[in-house]
């Protein structure tokens, strides 16, 4: 891979504008690191924002191939081009970010996001119990049991 070219609007560019993150927490706010991580590992989750990951030589190599540009007309969207060594290119454009009202997450995507985030603090069984309670939310006559469950 020769280059990763990104155009994004002002919100993403300013909130993820750390070009050379040094610590895991800075990785959350680095378009460059997020792109490298997504390409290398296929997804981005909270457990990956560690000092070790940010300093990983393979990810640093990818991060150095990212060329990110602010394009105000993109607003909340993005264009990503991955330029391969053989001259080919893969391009994806998204006008609305995943999770926005125009491009909502599926229940399965929300569930996976919750599992990844909650795994930092809850047992797998507890996570699955909470997901099942949310699945049955429409059938509940009294949400106090769910409220109690969330507070324990």
């Amino acid at each position: 891979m020769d280059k990763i070219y990104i155009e994004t609007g002002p919100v993403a560019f300013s909130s993820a504008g750390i070009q050379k993150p040094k610590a895991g927490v800075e990785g959350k706010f680095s378009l460059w690191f997020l792109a490298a991580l997504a390409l290398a590992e296929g997804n981005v989750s909270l457990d990956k924002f560690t000092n070790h990951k940010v300093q990983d030589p393979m990810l640093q190599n990818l991060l150095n191939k990212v060329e990110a540009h602010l394009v105000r007309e993109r607003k909340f969207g993005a264009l990503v081009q991955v330029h391969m060594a053989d001259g080919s290119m893969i391009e994806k454009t998204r006008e609305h970010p995943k999770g926005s009202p125009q491009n909502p997450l599926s229940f399965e995507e929300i569930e996976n996001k919750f599992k990844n985030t909650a795994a930092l603090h809850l047992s797998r069984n507890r996570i699955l119990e909470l997901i099942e309670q949310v699945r049955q939310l429409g059938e509940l006559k009294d949400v106090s049991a769910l409220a109690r469950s969330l507070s324990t």
Side-chain angles (χ1 to χ4, degrees):
M1 176 176 333
D2 279 347
K3 176 175 77 169
I4 303 146
Y5 176 85
I6 300 172
E7 292 180 356
T8 191
V11 173
F13 201 84
S14 63
S15 62
I18 299 174
Q19 191 167 358
K20 300 281 185 187
K22 304 273 188 270
V25 70
E26 290 178 339
K28 293 179 188 179
F29 305 101
S30 171
L31 185 60
W32 294 261
F33 178 72
L34 293 167
L37 185 61
L39 279 169
E41 301 195 5
N43 64 36
V44 174
S45 56
L46 286 178
D47 61 319
K48 295 180 181 178
F49 294 109
T50 64
N51 293 348
H52 179 74
K53 282 276 187 207
V54 166
Q55 296 161 8
D56 179 285
M58 185 207 42
L59 290 174
Q60 282 295 313
N61 183 44
L62 273 178
L63 183 146
N64 289 327
K65 294 181 179 193
V66 175
E67 186 182 306
H69 298 275
L70 169 61
V71 177
R72 294 193 182 283
E73 296 77 23
R74 292 231 174 255
K75 298 181 182 165
F76 294 102
L79 163 79
V80 177
Q81 297 174 335
V82 179
H83 296 261
M84 307 305 280
D86 67 2
S88 64
M89 179 186 65
I90 301 166
E91 178 176 297
K92 294 287 180 181
T93 302
R94 182 162 282 166
E95 295 303 317
H96 303 284
K98 192 66 175 162
S100 68
Q102 300 87 351
N103 190 10
L105 295 167
S106 68
F107 188 85
E108 182 181 351
E109 290 169 318
I110 293 169
E111 184 177 325
N112 288 334
K113 192 170 187 173
F114 176 71
K115 284 177 184 175
N116 288 333
T117 304
L120 299 173
H121 302 287
L122 301 174
S123 71
R124 177 162 170 72
N125 286 343
R126 184 77 179 113
I127 292 167
L128 295 176
E129 286 172 16
L130 289 169
I131 289 170
E132 189 54 35
Q133 286 179 321
V134 170
R135 282 188 186 280
Q136 297 174 9
L137 193 59
E139 300 164 20
L140 289 179
K141 292 182 178 26
D142 179 8
V143 295
S144 61
L146 176 60
R148 279 192 305 278
S149 180
L150 291 170
S151 67
T152 58

